[in-house]
Amino acid sequence: MRALVLLCPAVLAPAVLALTLPTAALADVFSFDAPVTAVTLHPGGASIERRVPFAIPAGRHQLILRSADPGVDLAKLRLSVEGATLETVTARTAALAPRDRTESDAIRAARAEIARLRAELLEFQDRRRAEELKAEAARAQAGFLSGLARAEGIGGQGVAVLRDLSRMIAEETLNAGTAALAAEIAARAFDTPLKDKKKALEAARAALAALMPQAEDGAEYRLTVSAEEAAEGLVTISYLSAAGDWQPGYEAHLTRGAAAELTLTRVAWVMQDTGETWRDVHLRLSTVTPGARSDASELYPRRRQIVKPQPVAPMYKSDAAQLAEPMVEAAPMGLAGAAASVLDGISVTYDYPQPVTIAPGAEALRLPLGALTLPAEVFARATPETDPTAYVTAAFTNDSDDVLLPAETVQLFLDGHFTGLGRMPLIAGGQAAELGFGPIEGLRLDFARLSRSQGDRGMLSKSSEQTETQQYSARNLSATGWDLRLRGRVPYSEQENLKINWSAEPAPDLVDAEDRRGLLEWRFTLAPGASQTIRLDQRLSWPDGYELR
């Protein structure tokens, strides 16, 4: 593969001059590893940064940065040098310079630990096998004695001989059985230590794997730099990768009582599949989506026109061209069928306080982001028109300066007991919100449409009318009293000719709840064994000749 040379725009003219005029050869070549040092994870991507410090004498030199990502689009690579003047950059993925494979002290120590644990494991296995052999020998002895008792010709011996022989067989069989049992017990005593030794050996091997460098160098960058005097500097390489992601998550703990509290434990699920382990990197979590649109849509002038109505006539192919053109606005060239990305303008960034190691291709890593405790108001949310039961609900206000990010998975806990999974909407600082914690099976709800009629009325002015009577009911079959917030609805109209009148018994506590037209809410306490019924009457009327929709 041919090497690709990038010329830094700031020094393009000097670099071209250096390639065309006789110059002195490079004084030294310096090689460095370029591990990942900092990562900013975005939804569906990652901004990766590699920072490499260097020290060079005066003159013109070459810096070789190894272990770079070979899949990076070089046109999108961001590279800067502090402490020296950058002239050219060469990217290589083949014919790489040889590197020093000297193992570090940590790797050598990890290998020694593996050897020690393996020797201990073999010793324990040998000792267990020795006990097993004792048990096998004892069982073999017992078998021999049993066969001796059944041997032919044994019955022809005298009484005294038979008595001594039987006593000997019994005693020796007992001794052999006791020895076999003792050996089996001694062998089983090694089972637990052997399991521990195997686990320790697996952990030591995993620790060594984490310390080992990548199997492949991937790519290397060769930078030509110059300095008028000895200098210390820093090379920074950064780029975007699609092989990273993070998602917010929560554990919501609701504690009821006189001073109810909601504790939100925030976590982040992070993952990456770049093929390279990020070891002890500075991690930042951001809600910015780098791949989203960066500019507003183009707005084109809109031309309108009027035409004289044409008589309706049969459409023949011969005179179709004589008809007026329809009033259809032409789509701008190149925009037909384009899908627009929407950026809501809210950006949140978390700087994780400790270095993080994230292996590629592994399951998501869970990182805690701290907890937030908020006062809460606990009640039962009831919607009889759609639900047969009420739900435990906590109303709270995000009185912190942090934005609570939306999450598809929230683990819910009520008074210390897990109740299920929920979802978290986006909640800005100072915003009020509600979070459900599961059904209350003892609160039964019912909805009934008692009557509905529609017809014409009036003698001179003809119009149409629809009347309807609905009933909501709630029963508390549990042993606990509940504060209920029951919601119903009535239709609303934005047309002057469509008249809507309604009445409720009892009257609702809120009309147009949450600024949503027609949404009603009743608030009451339902004691154990008690019930509540709500009657809702509504009447719609409109002129004749219209249809109700």
Side-chain angles (χ1 to χ4, degrees), residues 351-402:
D351 279 304
Y352 201 70
Q354 300 172 352
V356 177
T357 297
I358 308 174
E363 296 181 357
L365 175 65
R366 179 184 183 274
L367 298 177
L369 297 179
L372 183 64
T373 300
L374 305 169
E377 185 179 2
V378 183
F379 57 88
R381 170 67 70 198
T383 312
E385 190 171 342
T386 56
D387 301 327
T389 61
Y391 288 80
V392 180
T393 306
F396 62 97
T397 299
N398 179 16
D399 56 10
S400 70
D401 296 331
D402 295 337

Coordinates of all heavy atoms in Angstrom, one line a residue, residues 351-402:
D351 N -18.5 14.9 32.6 CA -17.1 14.5 32.7 C -17.0 13.5 33.8 O -17.2 13.8 35.0 CB -16.3 15.8 33.0 CG -16.0 16.6 31.7 OD1 -15.5 16.0 30.8 OD2 -16.3 17.8 31.7
Y352 N -16.7 12.3 33.4 CA -16.5 11.2 34.4 C -15.3 11.5 35.3 O -14.2 11.8 34.7 CB -16.5 9.9 33.8 CG -16.9 8.8 34.8 CD1 -18.2 8.6 35.2 CD2 -15.9 7.9 35.3 CE1 -18.5 7.6 36.1 CE2 -16.2 6.9 36.2 CZ -17.6 6.8 36.6 OH -17.9 5.8 37.5
P353 N -15.4 11.5 36.6 CA -14.3 11.9 37.4 C -13.1 11.0 37.5 O -12.0 11.4 38.0 CB -14.9 12.1 38.8 CG -16.0 11.1 38.8 CD -16.5 11.1 37.4
Q354 N -13.2 9.7 37.1 CA -12.1 8.8 37.2 C -11.8 8.2 35.9 O -12.6 8.1 35.0 CB -12.5 7.6 38.2 CG -12.8 8.1 39.6 CD -13.4 7.0 40.5 OE1 -13.7 5.9 40.0 NE2 -13.6 7.3 41.7
P355 N -10.5 7.7 35.7 CA -10.1 7.1 34.4 C -11.0 5.8 34.3 O -11.3 5.1 35.2 CB -8.7 6.7 34.6 CG -8.2 7.7 35.7 CD -9.3 7.9 36.6
V356 N -11.3 5.5 33.0 CA -12.1 4.3 32.7 C -11.4 3.5 31.7 O -10.8 4.0 30.7 CB -13.5 4.8 32.1 CG1 -14.4 3.7 31.7 CG2 -14.2 5.7 33.2
T357 N -11.6 2.1 31.8 CA -11.1 1.2 30.8 C -12.3 0.5 30.2 O -13.1 -0.1 30.9 CB -10.1 0.2 31.5 OG1 -9.0 0.8 32.0 CG2 -9.7 -0.9 30.5
I358 N -12.4 0.5 28.9 CA -13.5 -0.1 28.2 C -12.9 -1.0 27.1 O -12.2 -0.5 26.2 CB -14.4 1.0 27.5 CG1 -14.8 2.1 28.6 CG2 -15.6 0.4 26.9 CD1 -15.6 3.2 28.0
A359 N -13.3 -2.3 27.2 CA -12.8 -3.3 26.2 C -13.7 -3.2 25.0 O -14.9 -2.9 25.1 CB -12.8 -4.6 26.8
P360 N -13.2 -3.6 23.8 CA -14.1 -3.6 22.6 C -14.9 -4.8 22.6 O -14.5 -5.9 23.0 CB -13.1 -3.5 21.5 CG -11.9 -4.2 22.1 CD -11.8 -3.9 23.5
G361 N -16.1 -4.7 22.0 CA -16.9 -5.9 21.7 C -17.6 -6.5 23.0 O -18.3 -7.5 22.9
A362 N -17.3 -5.9 24.1 CA -17.9 -6.5 25.4 C -19.3 -5.9 25.6 O -19.7 -5.0 24.9 CB -17.0 -6.2 26.5
E363 N -19.9 -6.5 26.6 CA -21.2 -5.9 27.0 C -21.1 -4.5 27.5 O -20.0 -4.1 27.9 CB -21.9 -6.8 28.0 CG -22.2 -8.2 27.5 CD -22.9 -9.1 28.5 OE1 -23.1 -8.6 29.6 OE2 -23.3 -10.2 28.1
A364 N -22.2 -3.8 27.6 CA -22.1 -2.4 28.0 C -21.6 -2.3 29.5 O -21.8 -3.1 30.3 CB -23.5 -1.8 28.0
L365 N -20.8 -1.3 29.7 CA -20.2 -1.0 31.0 C -21.1 0.0 31.7 O -21.5 1.0 31.1 CB -18.8 -0.4 30.8 CG -18.1 0.1 32.1 CD1 -17.8 -1.1 33.0 CD2 -16.8 0.8 31.8
R366 N -21.4 -0.3 32.9 CA -22.3 0.6 33.7 C -21.5 1.5 34.6 O -20.7 1.1 35.4 CB -23.2 -0.3 34.6 CG -24.2 0.5 35.5 CD -25.0 -0.4 36.4 NE -26.0 0.3 37.2 CZ -25.7 0.8 38.4 NH1 -24.5 0.8 38.9 NH2 -26.7 1.4 39.1
L367 N -21.7 2.8 34.4 CA -21.0 3.8 35.1 C -22.0 4.7 36.0 O -22.9 5.2 35.4 CB -20.2 4.8 34.2 CG -19.1 4.1 33.3 CD1 -18.5 5.2 32.4 CD2 -18.0 3.5 34.2
P368 N -21.8 4.8 37.3 CA -22.7 5.7 38.1 C -22.4 7.1 37.8 O -21.2 7.6 37.7 CB -22.3 5.3 39.5 CG -20.9 4.8 39.4 CD -20.7 4.2 38.1
L369 N -23.5 7.9 37.8 CA -23.4 9.4 37.5 C -23.9 10.2 38.7 O -24.1 11.4 38.6 CB -24.1 9.8 36.3 CG -23.6 9.2 34.9 CD1 -24.5 9.7 33.8 CD2 -22.1 9.5 34.7
G370 N -24.1 9.5 39.9 CA -24.6 10.2 41.0 C -26.1 10.1 41.2 O -26.8 9.6 40.3
A371 N -26.5 10.5 42.4 CA -28.0 10.4 42.7 C -28.5 11.8 43.0 O -27.8 12.7 43.4 CB -28.1 9.5 43.9
L372 N -29.8 11.9 42.8 CA -30.6 13.1 43.0 C -31.8 12.8 43.8 O -32.6 11.9 43.4 CB -31.0 13.7 41.7 CG -31.7 15.1 41.7 CD1 -30.8 16.1 42.2 CD2 -32.1 15.4 40.3
T373 N -32.0 13.4 45.0 CA -33.1 13.1 45.9 C -34.0 14.4 45.9 O -33.6 15.5 46.1 CB -32.6 12.8 47.3 OG1 -31.8 11.7 47.3 CG2 -33.8 12.6 48.2
L374 N -35.3 14.1 45.6 CA -36.3 15.2 45.4 C -37.5 14.9 46.2 O -37.9 13.7 46.3 CB -36.7 15.3 43.9 CG -35.6 15.5 42.9 CD1 -36.1 15.3 41.5 CD2 -34.9 16.9 43.0
P375 N -38.1 15.9 46.8 CA -39.4 15.7 47.5 C -40.5 15.3 46.5 O -40.5 15.8 45.3 CB -39.7 17.0 48.1 CG -38.9 18.0 47.4 CD -37.7 17.3 46.9
A376 N -41.4 14.4 46.9 CA -42.4 13.9 45.9 C -43.8 13.9 46.6 O -43.9 13.8 47.8 CB -42.0 12.5 45.5
E377 N -44.8 13.9 45.7 CA -46.2 13.8 46.1 C -46.7 12.5 45.6 O -46.7 12.4 44.3 CB -47.0 15.0 45.7 CG -48.4 15.0 46.2 CD -49.2 16.2 45.7 OE1 -48.6 17.1 44.9 OE2 -50.4 16.4 46.0
V378 N -47.1 11.6 46.4 CA -47.5 10.3 46.0 C -49.1 10.2 46.0 O -49.7 10.6 46.9 CB -47.0 9.2 46.9 CG1 -47.3 7.8 46.4 CG2 -45.4 9.3 47.0
F379 N -49.6 9.7 44.9 CA -51.0 9.5 44.7 C -51.3 8.4 43.7 O -50.4 7.8 43.2 CB -51.7 10.8 44.2 CG -51.1 11.4 42.9 CD1 -51.6 11.0 41.7 CD2 -50.0 12.2 43.0 CE1 -51.1 11.4 40.5 CE2 -49.5 12.7 41.8 CZ -50.0 12.3 40.6
A380 N -52.6 8.1 43.5 CA -53.0 7.1 42.6 C -53.6 7.8 41.3 O -54.6 8.5 41.5 CB -54.0 6.1 43.2
R381 N -53.0 7.6 40.2 CA -53.5 8.1 38.9 C -54.5 7.2 38.3 O -54.2 6.0 38.1 CB -52.3 8.3 38.0 CG -52.7 8.7 36.6 CD -53.3 10.1 36.5 NE -52.4 11.1 36.7 CZ -52.8 12.4 37.1 NH1 -54.1 12.6 37.2 NH2 -51.9 13.3 37.3
A382 N -55.7 7.6 38.1 CA -56.8 6.8 37.6 C -57.3 7.3 36.3 O -57.7 8.5 36.2 CB -57.9 6.7 38.6
T383 N -57.5 6.5 35.3 CA -58.1 6.8 34.0 C -59.1 5.7 33.6 O -58.8 4.8 32.9 CB -57.0 6.9 32.9 OG1 -55.9 7.7 33.4 CG2 -57.5 7.6 31.6
P384 N -60.3 5.8 34.2 CA -61.3 4.7 34.0 C -61.6 4.4 32.5 O -62.0 3.3 32.2 CB -62.5 5.2 34.8 CG -61.9 6.2 35.7 CD -60.8 6.9 35.0
E385 N -61.5 5.4 31.7 CA -61.9 5.2 30.3 C -61.0 4.2 29.6 O -61.5 3.6 28.6 CB -62.0 6.6 29.5 CG -62.6 6.5 28.2 CD -62.8 7.8 27.5 OE1 -62.8 8.9 28.3 OE2 -63.0 7.9 26.3
T386 N -59.8 4.1 30.1 CA -58.9 3.2 29.4 C -58.3 2.1 30.3 O -57.8 1.1 29.8 CB -57.7 4.0 28.8 OG1 -57.1 4.8 29.8 CG2 -58.2 4.9 27.7
D387 N -58.2 2.3 31.6 CA -57.6 1.4 32.5 C -58.5 0.8 33.5 O -59.4 1.5 34.1 CB -56.4 2.1 33.2 CG -55.4 2.7 32.3 OD1 -55.2 2.1 31.2 OD2 -54.8 3.7 32.7
P388 N -58.4 -0.5 33.9 CA -59.2 -1.1 34.9 C -58.7 -0.9 36.3 O -59.4 -1.2 37.3 CB -59.2 -2.6 34.6 CG -57.9 -2.8 33.9 CD -57.5 -1.5 33.2
T389 N -57.4 -0.4 36.5 CA -56.8 -0.2 37.8 C -56.2 1.2 37.8 O -55.9 1.8 36.7 CB -55.8 -1.3 38.1 OG1 -54.7 -1.2 37.1 CG2 -56.4 -2.6 38.1
A390 N -55.9 1.7 39.0 CA -55.1 2.9 39.2 C -53.7 2.6 39.3 O -53.3 1.4 39.6 CB -55.6 3.7 40.4
Y391 N -52.8 3.6 39.2 CA -51.4 3.4 39.2 C -50.7 4.3 40.3 O -51.1 5.5 40.4 CB -50.7 3.7 37.9 CG -51.1 2.6 36.8 CD1 -52.3 2.6 36.2 CD2 -50.2 1.6 36.5 CE1 -52.6 1.6 35.3 CE2 -50.5 0.6 35.6 CZ -51.7 0.6 35.0 OH -52.0 -0.4 34.1
V392 N -49.7 3.7 41.0 CA -49.0 4.6 41.9 C -48.2 5.6 41.1 O -47.5 5.2 40.2 CB -48.0 3.7 42.8 CG1 -47.2 4.6 43.7 CG2 -48.8 2.6 43.5
T393 N -48.3 6.8 41.5 CA -47.6 7.9 40.7 C -46.9 8.9 41.7 O -47.5 9.2 42.8 CB -48.7 8.7 39.9 OG1 -49.4 7.7 39.1 CG2 -48.0 9.7 39.0
A394 N -45.8 9.3 41.3 CA -45.0 10.3 42.1 C -44.9 11.6 41.3 O -44.4 11.6 40.1 CB -43.7 9.8 42.5
A395 N -45.4 12.7 41.8 CA -45.3 14.0 41.2 C -44.1 14.7 41.8 O -44.0 14.7 43.1 CB -46.5 14.8 41.3
F396 N -43.2 15.3 41.0 CA -42.0 15.9 41.6 C -41.6 17.0 40.6 O -42.0 17.1 39.5 CB -40.9 14.9 41.7 CG -40.4 14.3 40.4 CD1 -39.3 14.8 39.7 CD2 -41.1 13.2 39.9 CE1 -38.9 14.2 38.5 CE2 -40.7 12.6 38.7 CZ -39.6 13.1 38.0
T397 N -40.7 17.9 41.1 CA -40.1 18.9 40.4 C -38.6 18.8 40.4 O -38.0 18.6 41.4 CB -40.5 20.3 40.9 OG1 -41.9 20.5 40.9 CG2 -39.9 21.4 40.1
N398 N -38.0 18.8 39.2 CA -36.5 18.8 39.1 C -36.0 20.1 39.5 O -35.8 21.0 38.7 CB -36.1 18.4 37.7 CG -34.6 18.4 37.5 OD1 -33.9 18.3 38.5 ND2 -34.2 18.4 36.3
D399 N -35.7 20.2 40.9 CA -35.2 21.5 41.4 C -33.7 21.6 41.3 O -33.1 22.5 41.9 CB -35.7 21.7 42.8 CG -35.2 20.5 43.7 OD1 -34.4 19.7 43.3 OD2 -35.7 20.4 44.9
S400 N -33.0 20.8 40.5 CA -31.6 20.8 40.4 C -31.3 21.6 39.1 O -32.2 22.0 38.3 CB -31.0 19.5 40.3 OG -31.4 18.8 39.0
D401 N -30.0 21.9 38.9 CA -29.6 22.6 37.7 C -29.3 21.6 36.5 O -29.0 22.0 35.4 CB -28.3 23.4 37.9 CG -28.5 24.5 38.9 OD1 -29.7 25.0 39.0 OD2 -27.6 24.9 39.7
D402 N -29.4 20.3 36.8 CA -29.1 19.3 35.8 C -30.4 18.9 35.0 O -31.5 19.0 35.5 CB -28.6 18.0 36.4 CG -27.3 18.2 37.1 OD1 -26.6 19.2 36.7 OD2 -26.9 17.4 38.0

